[in-house]
Amino acid sequence: EVQLVESGGGIVQPGGSLRLSCVGSGFTFGDSGLSWVRQAPGKGLEWVSYTSRDGRSTLYLDSVKGRFSAWVDNAQNRLYLQLDSLEIEDTAMYYCAKNGPGAFRPLVYRTDFRYWGQGTQVTVSS
């Protein structure tokens, strides 16, 4: 059974930083790309990042480029997301997801990914 478990969320002031982690089990890390997806209150799902299965390339949502960084540690079965220069608009539930669409795009649906974690809440507030 594939399982994805996120951690690392919290409450932070604007300009602050957080590091999210997603640990996977029930599959071979590196058999597919891994993604971070977020959902702000009352809004749709935004595809934040996609990291290729070999970990060599990552695509980012335009609004987080230069502020967020994602990477995978296949030996640890973990996907990370470093969030720097956080803005109030980054407040959302952040999900780790697997087996998604073939083309990266800003908005996605729940059904676009086969596997999801339970999410970790990031709140940016002064």
Side-chain angles (χ1 to χ4, degrees):
E1 179 188 3
V2 172
Q3 288 192 329
L4 301 167
V5 180
E6 304 92 335
S7 62
I11 302 173
V12 63
Q13 292 185 339
S17 298
L18 284 173
R19 179 175 292 184
L20 309 184
S21 175
C22 169
V23 60
S25 61
F27 63 97
T28 301
F29 243 68
D31 70 349
S32 70
L34 291 168
S35 298
W36 288 100
V37 181
R38 70 183 181 185
Q39 187 167 30
K43 296 190 176 181
L45 292 163
E46 286 187 309
W47 196 352
V48 175
S49 70
Y50 168 80
T51 299
S52 62
R53 61 180 182 176
D54 62 6
R56 293 183 179 182
S57 64
T58 300
L59 301 174
Y60 295 98
L61 182 70
D62 282 349
S63 62
V64 309
K65 285 179 180 177
R67 301 189 299 118
F68 291 8
S69 179
W71 70 97
V72 63
D73 184 336
N74 286 333
Q76 297 289 331
N77 284 8
R78 285 184 181 271
L79 173 71
Y80 295 94
L81 183 67
Q82 178 69 34
L83 296 76
D84 294 322
S85 302
L86 280 161
E87 302 171 355
I88 291 175
E89 293 74 20
D90 295 318
T91 295
M93 184 71 78
Y94 284 72
Y95 299 94
C96 177
K98 183 178 179 314
N99 293 105
F104 188 76
R105 61 181 189 266
L107 297 179
V108 294
Y109 297 96
R110 195 83 181 179
T111 53
D112 282 331
F113 290 84
R114 184 172 180 183
Y115 301 105
W116 292 82
Q118 85 289 348
T120 186
Q121 178 68 38
V122 171
T123 301
V124 185
S125 174
S126 56

